[in-house]
Every structure is written in C-alpha cells, then in structure tokens.
Amino acid sequence: ELKVEQNPLFLSMQEGKNYTIYCNYSTTSDRLYWYRQDPGKSLESLFVLLSNGAVKQEGRLMASLDTKARLSTLHITAAVHDLSATYFCAVEETNAGKSTFGDGTTLTVKP
Amino acid sequence: ETGVTQTPRHLVMGMTNKKSLKCEQHLGHNAMYWYKQSAKKPLELMFVYNFKEQTENNSVPSRFSPECPNSSHLFLHLHTLQPEDSALYLCASSQVPRQGNQPQHFGDGTRLSIL
C-alpha cells in the first residue's frame, strides 16, 4: 500500500521568509502532483513532476522531485500573505492510474 | 472555473433521507473520481470510473452508490447515512492514460452535513 507523508502539517511563517514542505512516499512512482486548496474551495493543480531531478517553478513556489529518495519538496521563497492555503502532494503509483494524497500542509503567512 | 461542476454545493440531510450528488465535467476527460475530505483526515479516494466502468471501490460502505451514465457525468447516491459521513465530497476528472503534465481537475465540492 502506497503511503504518502507530508511535513510539517502546519506551518506559520513571516512574510519575506523562506521555507520548505516535504513529501515522502513509500513505493515507486512516475508522477507526483502538488495542489493548493484555499478554505472552502477546490484543489488547484500547481505542479506535475514526472521524472527524477524534475524542478518546476511558478512565482514564489518551486517544486522538485528525487525519485531515488522518494522525496519531493515544495520550496517557498519570500512568502507573502496570498500564499496562505493548504498544500497537498499526491503520488501516482507506476501504472496504477490513481493518486494517493498526503495529509496536507496548512500554511499561514503572517505580516 | 475548473471545468468540473458539482451540485449542490451544500446539503443537509437526515439519516433516513435519500439524496444524490451530481458532478459534470466539460473537459473531454474519460475518467472521473469521487473523494471524501473529512476534517483531520487525508483526502480519501472512494470510486474511480474509466470510460464509464467502475475500476476502483476503496471499501466504501454500500450506503454510497455511484453511477456514471457517460464520461461527462458522475453521481453519488446517498441513503441511510451516518453522522460520520459528514464531509466535503469532491469530484475530479482526468484523461487516462495520463499524458504529459495532466493532473486531475477538481470540482468545488459538496459540503454534506448529516443530522
């Protein structure tokens, strides 16, 4: 059974600071997703990571994937209040066609 | 606008009621999913439909009954639910097999409260 662990589960940071969210998973995977969810809203796709060493950046967020370590990171640079949300990683087992989600990291950015 | 529409957005029902949740996708996808999102629990996959055929049922109690009449529509029929079934129910769609950078697209969810 695929297990996906995110940490931290809760993160409170000051505006302007940097931080990293970690996503570990237990079996081989060929796809990893990062989603954002605002309170009362749907999940919004942020990144799709397909291969070892993949790195994607959008604004202040950068995601990377190390398939050998079974680890993905979501790095936040110079946080701003608008980034406050819950971030989920989701891992798709090779050839399984379905994703297993982590517990989510609730990020609060304070002025 | 995600291309996945869920109705109703909110639903309050008694334990003996029967109701249905509806999901419609306008993205031309061929797979649809139901997820349950409870407070303090991770997102739980309930059902998967590929090309209208159910390919996954994650040990979901029979009081939840899915229906997928075509690749664009997905229903979740509810009857004799329990208070612990109160949650946000999310529908998603995708193309399978996956190609390139294609994630699942999620609807806004139905917030279900069981009295």
Side-chain angles (χ1 to χ4, degrees):
Chain A
E1 181 190 343
L2 172 59
K3 292 190 189 308
V4 180
E5 291 186 0
Q6 274 183 248
N7 69 83
L9 298 183
F10 297 94
L11 177 57
S12 179
M13 29 186 324
Q14 296 289 126
E15 278 191 331
K17 297 290 187 184
N18 304 333
Y19 209 84
T20 300
I21 300 170
Y22 298 88
C23 175
N24 290 89
Y25 55 97
S26 61
T27 66
T28 57
S29 165
D30 55 7
R31 280 170 188 270
L32 188 139
Y33 306 90
W34 283 98
Y35 291 90
R36 168 182 173 147
Q37 186 178 34
D38 291 295
K41 301 278 189 176
S42 184
L43 275 74
E44 172 194 352
S45 175
L46 294 174
F47 301 108
V48 181
L49 301 170
L50 301 177
S51 59
N52 188 40
V55 177
K56 294 207 173 166
Q57 181 159 8
E58 181 75 35
R60 300 174 189 275
L61 300 178
M62 184 173 72
S64 66
L65 177 62
D66 180 343
T67 57
K68 293 180 182 177
R70 297 177 183 167
L71 170 69
S72 179
T73 61
L74 181 66
H75 187 73
I76 302 152
T77 302
V80 294
H81 180 69
D82 285 352
L83 290 180
S84 298
T86 299
Y87 294 86
F88 292 92
C89 67
V91 179
E92 192 166 303
E93 289 178 73
T94 302
N95 297 323
K98 60 172 182 169
S99 298
T100 299
F101 281 75
D103 288 355
T105 296
T106 299
L107 171 66
T108 303
V109 180
K110 299 180 178 179
Chain B
E1 178 59 51
T2 66
V4 180
T5 304
Q6 286 187 245
T7 55
R9 292 294 310 278
H10 302 272
L11 178 61
V12 179
M13 57 188 284
M15 288 192 284
T16 57
N17 292 155
K18 289 185 181 181
K19 296 284 184 184
S20 296
L21 311 185
K22 180 182 175 183
C23 177
E24 184 174 357
Q25 58 97 0
H26 309 277
L27 300 167
H29 290 160
N30 57 12
M32 297 187 78
Y33 311 78
W34 279 117
Y35 288 88
K36 176 182 178 182
Q37 188 176 32
S38 307
K40 301 179 183 178
K41 280 191 171 184
L43 209 62
E44 300 172 67
L45 179 64
M46 299 174 72
F47 301 105
V48 181
Y49 278 82
N50 288 346
F51 297 98
K52 303 187 299 177
E53 299 297 322
Q54 188 181 122
T55 57
E56 189 83 25
N57 175 340
N58 269 2
S59 304
V60 181
S62 59
R63 57 186 184 267
F64 294 92
S65 174
E67 179 190 359
C68 188
N70 55 61
S71 294
S72 299
H73 293 86
L74 185 64
F75 296 89
L76 188 62
H77 303 300
L78 316 171
H79 63 98
T80 58
L81 295 193
Q82 304 298 309
E84 62 265 26
D85 297 323
S86 297
L88 181 67
Y89 289 84
L90 290 164
C91 172
S93 71
S94 73
Q95 190 64 22
V96 290
R98 306 274 196 186
Q99 295 173 356
N101 297 332
Q102 295 298 315
Q104 291 181 359
H105 292 256
F106 284 81
D108 286 340
T110 295
R111 174 70 62 186
L112 176 65
S113 299
I114 306 300
L115 302 178

